[in-house]
Amino acid sequence: MARREPVSDSGSDSEDSSLSDSELQEAFLRGELKPGLNVVLEERPKRRNDAEGLKQCLSEFRQQLAWVERLDVTLGQVVDPVSQSASNKDTVDPENDFQREMSFYRQAQAAVLEALPRLRKLQVPTRRPDDYFAEMAKSDQQMQKIRQKLKSKQEAMERSEKAKQLRAMRKYGKKVQTEILQRRQKEKKNILNAVKKYQKGLSDKLDFLDEEQTSSQGHKKGNANQRTKKGPNAKRRYKNQKFGFGGKKKGSKWNTKESFNDVSSFSSKVAHNKGPGKAGKGGKKALNKRPGKRARQKMKSRAR
């Protein structure tokens, strides 16, 4: 069987190769196609499976070693324990991944079951001893680095979780605070509206005053409870002791009608500087008068 392929030449040949099939057919009918554009190729040699040659090559480089050195196991048909049928190419669908993998698994299992008795017969140990020490693939330094990295990742996750909780708590606190402010503004607005209605004569009820008093009393009780629990600080206590607890300061010593008429504390001796310890014009106390220089010298001489 011969096959013809187009050969591209320079000049008009490149132009002919760029033409379409219909144009080539028209050019062929007109006789414009020149000879030498097509080359006849020889038939390619067929590939054949030379089994005898392969076996001969295999026998040439095969080494005659014992089975314990090769550990090769060749099996025929493997029986499926569920269906009790041989799992050959007809029963296993190669496109079905599950069936294909199960056939590999059963074949490997059957090979192990066949190889174990032969190894025991040759007295080859097949079980690892209890005191067997296998060197780790990674060194202790590498495992320590991995452990530290995992620990740092865990700590970072814990810190991020704490930060999320704090942000959530802040959001909740802000939400509660805004709700309290909105409630207070709403109460204040309601009270102002009620006062305006009362002033315009649209309402003759004074219930809003009772509500305001109860709310103020509740606030005062809450503040008093807080004060009893916490108490004033040292600075506040010092100022209270020094300046009192507030109230009117100016004119606190002025006489009133009651104090003017009250003469129970009047004493003539005190009024006229005639009481005990009074002497001289200025009413100076004589008991605490310091003795003169002459008298002090006499007292010293007597003491000697």
Side-chain angles (χ1 to χ4, degrees):
M1 185 67 182
R3 186 166 60 89
R4 296 177 181 271
E5 290 185 357
V7 178
S8 63
D9 293 336
S10 62
S12 62
D13 297 341
S14 62
E15 295 178 358
D16 293 340
S17 61
S18 62
L19 299 175
S20 63
D21 295 339
S22 61
E23 291 175 349
L24 288 173
Q25 290 176 2
E26 292 176 358
F28 178 75
L29 292 175
R30 289 194 302 268
E32 295 179 357
L33 295 178
K34 298 178 181 181
L37 296 179
N38 299 325
V39 178
V40 178
L41 298 177
E42 296 180 359
E43 185 180 0
R44 292 182 180 178
K46 294 182 179 179
R47 296 178 180 178
R48 58 194 183 89
N49 186 12
D50 189 3
E52 297 296 333
L54 291 174
K55 289 180 180 179
Q56 184 179 358
C57 292
L58 180 63
S59 62
E60 289 177 359
F61 65 79
R62 176 182 288 176
Q63 296 180 356
Q64 299 295 330
L65 299 176
W67 179 83
V68 72
E69 298 292 338
R70 293 181 286 110
L71 294 178
D72 56 344
V73 178
T74 305
L75 297 175
Q77 296 180 348
V78 180
V79 179
D80 189 358
V82 178
S83 61
Q84 296 296 326
S85 62
S87 60
N88 51 18
K89 293 182 180 179
D90 298 333
T91 57
V92 177
D93 185 9
E95 300 297 331
N96 192 341
D97 297 339
F98 181 75
Q99 290 183 5
R100 187 175 66 252
E101 294 298 328
M102 284 301 297
S103 65
F104 293 158
Y105 171 76
R106 286 194 296 270
Q107 189 175 5
Q109 191 176 19
V112 170
L113 294 175
E114 184 179 349
L116 278 175
R118 295 173 67 177
L119 289 172
R120 291 186 184 127
K121 188 176 181 180
L122 296 173
Q123 296 181 356
V124 177
T126 58
R127 288 181 175 273
R128 187 177 66 183
D130 297 334
D131 57 349
Y132 179 76
F133 177 74
E135 186 177 357
M136 296 179 65
K138 295 184 179 180
S139 61
D140 295 340
Q141 291 82 3
Q142 184 70 15
M143 294 303 296
Q144 189 70 17
K145 289 181 182 178
I146 294 171
R147 195 178 294 109
Q148 290 177 359
K149 191 172 183 180
L150 292 174
K151 188 177 180 182
S152 62
K153 284 184 178 180
Q154 187 177 3
E155 290 177 355
M157 290 175 63
E158 290 178 356
R159 285 196 298 269
S160 63
E161 289 294 331
K162 287 182 180 179
K164 287 181 182 178
Q165 291 178 1
L166 288 174
R167 285 196 293 269
M169 290 173 67
R170 289 197 190 100
K171 287 182 181 179
Y172 180 73
K174 288 181 181 178
K175 184 179 178 181
V176 172
Q177 188 176 5
T178 51
E179 287 179 356
I180 292 171
L181 292 174
Q182 289 176 0
R183 188 174 68 251
R184 288 179 181 175
Q185 290 177 359
K186 187 176 180 181
E187 291 177 356
K188 186 177 180 180
K189 187 176 180 181
N190 293 335
I191 292 171
L192 291 175
N193 291 334
V195 170
K196 287 180 181 179
K197 287 181 181 179
Y198 181 76
Q199 288 176 352
K200 292 179 181 179
L202 299 176
S203 176
D204 55 349
K205 296 181 180 180
L206 298 175
D207 299 337
F208 59 91
L209 295 177
D210 298 336
E211 294 177 359
E212 186 177 1
Q213 288 178 359
T214 53
S215 62
S216 63
Q217 287 178 1
H219 288 303
K220 287 181 181 178
K221 287 181 180 178
N223 294 332
N225 293 331
Q226 291 179 0
R227 287 173 186 169
T228 53
K229 289 179 180 178
K230 295 182 179 179
N233 54 12
K235 186 176 180 181
R236 184 71 263 170
R237 288 198 300 270
Y238 172 74
K239 288 189 175 182
N240 290 341
Q241 184 179 1
K242 185 176 181 181
F243 303 107
F245 296 91
K248 187 178 179 182
K249 299 290 192 301
K250 189 175 180 181
S252 60
K253 296 184 179 180
W254 290 357
N255 278 331
T256 59
K257 186 177 181 180
E258 289 80 9
S259 64
F260 180 76
N261 294 327
D262 185 16
V263 293
S264 59
S265 60
F266 177 74
S267 177
S268 59
K269 293 182 179 181
V270 175
H272 299 290
N273 291 329
K274 293 182 180 180
K278 302 292 181 180
K281 295 181 179 180
K284 296 180 181 180
K285 295 182 180 179
L287 294 176
N288 295 331
K289 185 179 179 181
R290 184 185 179 190
K293 186 177 180 181
R294 188 100 175 166
R296 291 198 302 273
Q297 289 178 357
K298 287 182 180 180
M299 291 170 63
K300 287 181 180 180
S301 62
R302 287 177 185 173
R304 289 176 186 175

